[in-house]
Amino acid sequence: QIYSDIYDDSMWLTSLVENLLYATRIEEGRMTLHTSPELLGDLVEEAMNHIRRKAERHRLSVVSDQNLLLVQADARLVVQVIVNLVDNALKYTEPGSTVVVTTCICGDMAQVSVADNGSGIPDQEKEKIFDKFYCGTSKIADNRRSIGLGLYLCRAIAEAHKGSIQVTDNQPQGALFSFLLPLQEVIAYE
């Protein structure tokens, strides 16, 4: 148990440091995108591999209506967005809650959504939730502190990709975060 606790704390600290480094790069204007055509399903799967251990006490699933969604993206940064969103869903919901990651086409963009069935986010916090260092009033289920950089980074990365991110209410309860990425055209050679 001690080793498991040490591992969990070291992974939390690693995530915190990564978010701080990304925030510094954004503020200094040094965040450069290295985009290439990427299969969105592969990016989601990589993010799930990073987060599965934390999700042992939750029900985590991935749903896609398209097998081959190709996006123009910086793979490392998009994986970080997915990890941050799923990690938040796990942190702010009680054990046994359900977290669903969904990918689909939304107009000329690809959409990734992370939905949970927790207590949701009050309407007055939805406007501020993507602000730097904003932590909100919701209690974190695992009692770890948040410094309010994860969602700030998600917004910055989505906007750097010429996309967007939003939060709405999940039905019948919980939160639903969705972000958009540009689709990559598939050129067919005959």
Side-chain angles (χ1 to χ4, degrees):
Q1 182 62 43
I2 291 172
Y3 291 126
S4 179
D5 291 346
I6 290 170
Y7 177 82
D8 289 345
D9 287 344
S10 66
M11 293 308 293
W12 174 77
L13 188 58
T14 299
S15 175
L16 185 69
V17 169
E18 284 176 354
N19 283 340
L20 284 170
L21 289 172
Y22 284 135
T24 302
R25 287 186 192 123
I26 289 168
E27 286 184 348
E28 294 176 354
R30 293 186 302 127
M31 186 173 79
T32 55
L33 298 182
H34 303 287
T35 63
S36 59
E38 301 285 346
L39 284 173
L40 189 54
D42 290 349
L43 301 180
V44 170
E45 185 57 35
E46 184 178 339
M48 293 304 99
N49 289 337
H50 287 289
I51 207 88
R52 274 196 218 288
R53 189 165 189 287
K54 290 182 182 180
E56 290 174 341
R57 299 181 321 185
H58 290 76
R59 292 184 299 274
L60 181 61
S61 63
V62 176
V63 177
S64 178
D65 67 352
Q66 298 278 329
N67 286 334
L68 301 174
L69 272 179
L70 198 61
V71 294
Q72 185 67 27
D74 183 316
R76 181 177 49 88
L77 293 177
V78 171
V79 167
Q80 186 65 43
V81 171
I82 298 166
V83 166
N84 283 357
L85 293 176
V86 173
D87 187 49
N88 272 3
L90 298 174
K91 282 194 299 194
Y92 287 97
T93 59
E94 294 298 321
S97 298
T98 299
V99 177
V100 180
V101 179
T102 306
T103 61
C104 63
I105 293 176
C106 184
D108 60 348
M109 304 287 272
Q111 179 175 298
V112 179
S113 299
V114 177
D116 66 62
N117 63 349
S119 58
I121 299 168
D123 288 338
Q124 64 272 18
E125 289 188 23
K126 287 183 181 136
E127 294 176 18
K128 300 181 259 183
I129 202 160
F130 295 104
D131 292 348
K132 186 176 179 185
F133 299 125
Y134 184 78
C135 295
T137 58
S138 298
K139 181 183 175 297
I140 297 178
D142 68 4
N143 293 322
R144 285 205 170 110
R145 290 182 321 191
S146 173
I147 62 169
L149 284 178
L151 293 176
Y152 165 76
L153 291 173
C154 290
R155 181 180 65 186
I157 292 168
E159 289 175 354
H161 281 85
K162 306 212 181 341
S164 62
I165 189 167
Q166 67 176 359
V167 61
T168 56
D169 293 329
N170 190 23
Q171 298 303 325
Q173 74 178 38
L176 173 65
F177 287 86
S178 300
F179 71 97
L180 299 172
L181 295 169
L183 283 169
Q184 173 67 40
E185 281 188 45
V186 178
I187 300 171
Y189 295 99
E190 293 184 24

